[in-house]
Amino acid sequence: MSIGLAAAVIVLGYGLLLWKGPWWFDSSHLRQKNLQPADGVVITGFRTTLVALGAGVIAGLGLYYTHRSHKHTERLFEQSEKLFEHTREKDREQAQLTREGQVTDRYVEAIKLLSSDNMTVRIGGIFSLERIAKDSNDDRSTVVELLTAHIRENTRDDPRSPRDSHVTADVQAAITVLGRRSVALSDARLDFYHCGLTDAHLRGDFRDSMFYYSNLTGAGFSGAQLDGAGLSFCTAERAAFTRCTARGANFVNAVYRKSWFLAADLANCDFYGCDLSESDFGRRYAEDGNPPMPPAILTNARFTRAKLSGTNLRGVDLSTVRGLEQDQLAEAITDENTVLPLRWGGGEDEY
């Protein structure tokens, strides 16, 4: 109301100024009556100036209010953006909570399946856990530990006694899932201490895994990745390591009789005190009626005190091995293609 009244007063004053202004400002030179052309020039000039001034004021006010309106619009836009971002963040948080809740529900259901007395149901629970590990990176390590715990619990008679029986189908399923998991540098080593893995198929990625004191009779590691794996103090016959990669793995004081290491990369492996009697590292020759196959790679491997009775080392390059004595090699099977060590013995003080 007050703004409208003020505007009305300004308009009335402006009109009055246009009408009477020339005489108010120059009454000494303007006639009140019988105006002459000179008076008209003064009056017209004054009114023209006043109109121009009014137009300038109006234009200035228009620009001012346009600027204010623009700033107000900008503030509204910024507030809308902040509100939109806040809403979007809340939606993301809600979606994440919903997703975590769904994963938790699936995890609980998979645990129930894994604890079932029915073999088929347990296998279903194992593959459900694999899907959870793929969908939720935060739960991957938990799933891996759960599956290794399931393997340990179902392959031992007690915490330090591996079973001699064949692995069950659910244990094999858990091993298969672990072998094809995605592996990160920060992952913990798989713990298979004291496990009975008779006739298990361990293909896939088992780098740095710990199989210490396990029963690996008939276990198949063919084509597996075993770099840095702990295979010491194990007992095994007829274990297959054909075409595996096991650089830097250790087989210390273990028993691997009648086992196969054909075409395996065993560079820097440690066979200290290992019983490798009748095992096969040697080359397969086409003329023997077998498909040709290269021998094991034993670059810088250690054989100190290893038992090599009847061990096939035909065509194997032993030039860089450590700790091998002549009497050990005399018990093994060699041929003209076997490359002898450049240096005999040693390796006792290495760990």
Side-chain angles (χ1 to χ4, degrees):
M1 184 68 180
S2 59
I3 295 175
L5 181 60
V9 170
I10 290 171
V11 171
L12 183 61
Y14 183 72
L16 188 60
L17 187 61
L18 279 173
W19 179 34
K20 293 292 186 179
W23 286 274
W24 291 346
F25 287 93
D26 202 9
S27 59
S28 60
H29 296 92
L30 292 176
R31 297 175 181 83
Q32 296 292 331
K33 297 178 180 179
N34 302 317
L35 297 175
Q36 297 298 316
D39 296 326
V41 172
V42 173
I43 293 170
T44 301
F46 179 84
R47 287 176 175 171
T48 301
T49 301
L50 191 61
V51 169
L53 181 62
V57 170
I58 291 172
L61 289 172
L63 289 173
Y64 171 72
Y65 281 108
T66 300
H67 177 70
R68 284 192 58 184
S69 176
H70 178 69
K71 288 294 184 183
H72 181 64
T73 303
E74 279 188 336
R75 286 195 295 270
L76 288 177
F77 180 73
E78 290 173 358
Q79 291 173 0
S80 299
E81 273 194 327
K82 290 179 181 178
L83 180 61
F84 176 74
E85 185 61 32
H86 178 72
T87 303
R88 188 166 61 177
E89 184 63 29
K90 288 294 183 183
D91 289 344
R92 280 198 296 262
E93 291 176 359
Q94 185 60 45
Q96 181 64 21
L97 288 173
T98 301
R99 181 173 173 276
E100 289 177 355
Q102 291 173 346
V103 170
T104 300
D105 292 342
R106 290 166 58 196
Y107 183 78
V108 171
E109 185 61 30
I111 295 298
K112 292 179 181 178
L113 296 177
L114 192 61
S115 61
S116 171
D117 292 332
N118 185 286
M119 176 67 73
T120 304
V121 174
R122 289 201 301 274
I123 293 173
I126 289 166
F127 291 121
S128 294
L129 287 170
E130 180 183 26
R131 173 54 60 183
I132 291 170
K134 289 180 178 179
D135 293 344
S136 174
N137 191 59
D138 292 338
D139 295 293
R140 187 168 58 86
S141 60
T142 303
V143 169
V144 169
E145 180 53 43
L146 181 61
L147 291 177
T148 53
H150 179 76
I151 293 169
R152 291 193 299 270
E153 287 299 311
N154 290 277
T155 58
R156 294 171 173 174
D157 290 324
D158 61 59
R160 292 184 177 275
S161 299
R163 290 180 186 171
D164 294 328
S165 56
H166 301 297
V167 294
T168 55
D170 58 324
V171 169
Q172 181 59 62
I175 292 170
T176 300
V177 168
L178 290 174
R180 65 190 182 202
R181 76 197 187 286
S182 59
V183 181
L185 292 175
S186 58
D187 287 352
R189 301 174 69 184
L190 298 183
D191 178 2
F192 298 111
Y193 267 83
H194 298 283
C195 287
L197 300 176
T198 301
D199 293 326
H201 299 288
L202 292 117
R203 299 183 181 90
D205 195 337
F206 293 97
R207 287 174 291 178
D208 296 314
S209 296
M210 299 179 291
F211 294 91
Y212 300 111
Y213 301 99
S214 291
N215 181 359
L216 300 177
T217 294
F221 292 94
S222 297
Q225 294 174 268
L226 293 167
D227 293 348
L231 294 152
S232 298
F233 312 109
C234 295
T235 302
E237 286 194 4
R238 301 180 308 282
F241 293 89
T242 304
R243 298 190 186 280
C244 77
T245 302
R247 292 183 292 266
N250 58 78
F251 298 79
V252 174
N253 291 326
V255 176
Y256 288 97
R257 298 191 188 98
K258 300 180 180 178
S259 297
W260 295 274
F261 296 89
L262 297 163
D265 186 350
L266 304 172
N268 296 300
C269 281
D270 192 350
F271 292 97
Y272 182 99
C274 184
D275 186 350
L276 297 166
S277 300
E278 299 182 66
S279 290
D280 196 347
F281 292 80
R283 181 183 298 277
R284 286 284 188 269
Y285 297 101
E287 54 268 27
D288 293 338
N290 298 310
M293 185 177 293
I297 298 171
L298 295 172
T299 306
N300 208 39
R302 180 167 75 148
F303 283 90
T304 305
R305 299 193 178 188
K307 296 179 181 179
L308 301 176
S309 177
T311 303
N312 181 10
L313 295 173
R314 296 197 307 163
V316 177
D317 185 352
L318 301 172
S319 61
T320 61
V321 301
R322 296 166 291 137
L324 186 62
E325 301 286 356
Q326 295 185 36
D327 58 349
Q328 289 175 273
L329 190 59
E331 296 183 348
I333 302 170
T334 60
D335 65 6
E336 67 279 5
N337 294 314
T338 303
V339 182
L340 300 180
L342 296 175
R343 177 170 172 263
W344 296 96
E348 285 286 359
D349 56 345
E350 300 173 12
Y351 295 94

